[in-house]
Amino acid sequence: MEATGRVLAIMNSDVEELMPRLLPVEKCGNVTAEVDTSEPPRNPQEYLRQVQLEASLCPDVVVAQIDPKKLKKKPTVNVSLSGCQAAPVGFSPSFRWQQQQVSNFSEIRQSVNKHRQHWKAQALDDNVIMPKSDDEEGWKKFCFGENVYHSATPRLSDNNDPGLDYVKVGFPPFLSIVSRLNQASVSTVLEYLINWFEEREFFPQLGRWLYALLACLEKPLLPEAHSLIRQLARRCSEVRVNLESKEDETLSALNLMICLVARYFEQNDLADED
């Protein structure tokens, strides 16, 4: 009870009294009437009284007036501690396979970092117009092409055919393209594609871009990137659970995404156990 009484006494006192007084100043009954703020203080005592007056006029709570029009979009924070859904029997990869994929991925990342400046300096073809970082719809069209963007069901196609119209089928993640993205842009585009994936099925062009962006993602991860890759792994596990056959051509790609997030980026709670 004695300790509680001390806490209540502090709570009931003025806020100013919670802080130690570094300079002595006499308390005034009516501070406003005795302090002339239109004139400069003539001595230290008057200066301290003016400070006391200004402090007394400040509101206890200040609410910022924010213009909603200035906000480009509503901030989104995804917080989830859930893990991946367990793979059906026979659908998960072996630990040896996972180790090999991590080794290959590590070599690719080293190569990308080594040659980043070279590829960044390469001129893009005239038809390659990279969207601005905040153009979400533009990036979806750029990566997947207008055909997929306007279709509910992505169609399979070989985007490495030089005769293809990349505007319609989507640009592959050429090194000359992804090397131009800084870390903020890598995370932003990754978010756009994962959000797309949340509402649609997996298809090869999506896998190519996800792999390339993960290869460009620097460690240690920023909090936003940490949340994104976990979201990606969980989504891959959700799609995998609904596969009807181990022969489904998307199974290997889904396992690869989960493997890289869990094993390479050390999200061990999401890993497939052998």
Side-chain angles (χ1 to χ4, degrees):
M1 290 298 292
E2 182 179 350
T4 303
R6 288 199 298 269
V7 173
L8 291 176
I10 293 175
M11 293 176 62
N12 291 331
S13 63
D14 293 335
V15 175
E16 184 181 354
E17 296 301 326
L18 294 176
M19 301 178 65
R21 290 178 178 271
L22 299 181
L23 296 173
V25 58
E26 297 178 359
K27 286 190 175 182
C28 304
N30 188 344
V31 178
T32 305
E34 299 183 11
V35 178
D36 183 3
T37 58
S38 64
E39 298 290 336
R42 293 170 296 183
N43 52 57
Q45 197 70 12
E46 285 191 2
Y47 169 75
L48 293 174
R49 286 175 180 171
Q50 285 190 9
V51 173
Q52 189 180 47
L53 171 61
E54 292 175 357
S56 68
L57 296 177
C58 292
D60 293 334
V61 178
V62 178
V63 179
Q65 300 299 322
I66 300 176
D67 184 0
K69 296 180 181 179
K70 294 183 179 180
L71 298 177
K72 293 182 179 180
K73 63 178 182 178
K74 295 181 180 179
T76 301
V77 178
N78 296 317
V79 179
S80 177
L81 300 178
S82 62
C84 290
Q85 296 189 31
V89 177
F91 281 62
S92 61
S94 66
F95 181 66
R96 182 176 180 180
W97 182 90
Q98 295 180 64
Q99 287 182 311
Q100 184 61 53
Q101 302 311 312
V102 169
S103 176
N104 295 342
F105 183 67
S106 179
E107 291 180 3
I108 290 175
R109 283 173 60 91
Q110 292 176 16
S111 178
V112 169
N113 290 331
K114 181 178 180 181
H115 301 290
R116 182 185 299 275
Q117 294 303 319
H118 167 76
W119 287 108
K120 186 177 180 180
Q122 300 302 306
L124 297 175
D125 292 340
D126 293 339
N127 66 329
V128 182
I129 302 176
M130 296 176 62
K132 294 182 179 180
S133 181
D134 60 353
D135 184 3
E136 180 171 358
E137 301 309 311
W139 272 105
K140 292 174 183 176
K141 291 180 183 179
F142 182 83
C143 297
F144 305 144
E146 293 180 352
N147 293 344
V148 170
Y149 180 81
H150 295 293
S151 173
T153 305
R155 291 178 293 179
L156 301 181
S157 62
D158 183 7
N159 289 18
N160 295 319
D161 185 347
L164 289 177
D165 183 351
Y166 288 135
V167 173
K168 292 183 177 180
V169 300
F171 288 89
F174 295 127
L175 285 175
S176 56
I177 293 177
V178 296
S179 295
R180 284 173 160 78
L181 300 176
N182 58 30
Q183 283 303 290
S185 296
V186 169
S187 295
T188 298
V189 177
L190 188 61
E191 180 180 6
Y192 295 157
L193 304 193
I194 293 175
N195 288 342
W196 170 280
F197 183 33
E198 284 286 350
E199 301 175 355
R200 294 169 179 82
E201 294 302 312
F202 190 91
F203 61 103
Q205 180 72 345
L206 171 62
R208 296 185 189 106
W209 269 98
L210 291 174
Y211 191 94
L213 292 172
L214 290 178
C216 295
L217 201 59
E218 295 180 358
K219 297 173 69 175
L221 296 177
L222 296 174
E224 297 83 359
H226 177 273
S227 176
L228 282 172
I229 64 172
R230 290 182 64 85
Q231 180 183 349
L232 171 61
R234 287 193 296 268
R235 175 57 181 161
C236 287
S237 72
E238 292 172 2
V239 175
R240 183 176 62 181
V241 165
N242 294 317
L243 296 181
E244 297 180 355
S245 169
K246 291 185 290 185
E247 305 304 319
D248 193 302
E249 59 185 9
T250 63
L251 176 59
S252 179
L254 294 171
N255 284 338
L256 177 59
M257 293 294 117
I258 297 172
C259 168
L260 296 181
V261 170
R263 301 294 186 183
Y264 185 84
F265 290 104
E266 301 174 312
Q267 306 302 304
N268 297 318
D269 61 305
L270 304 180
D272 285 316
E273 299 298 334
D274 190 6

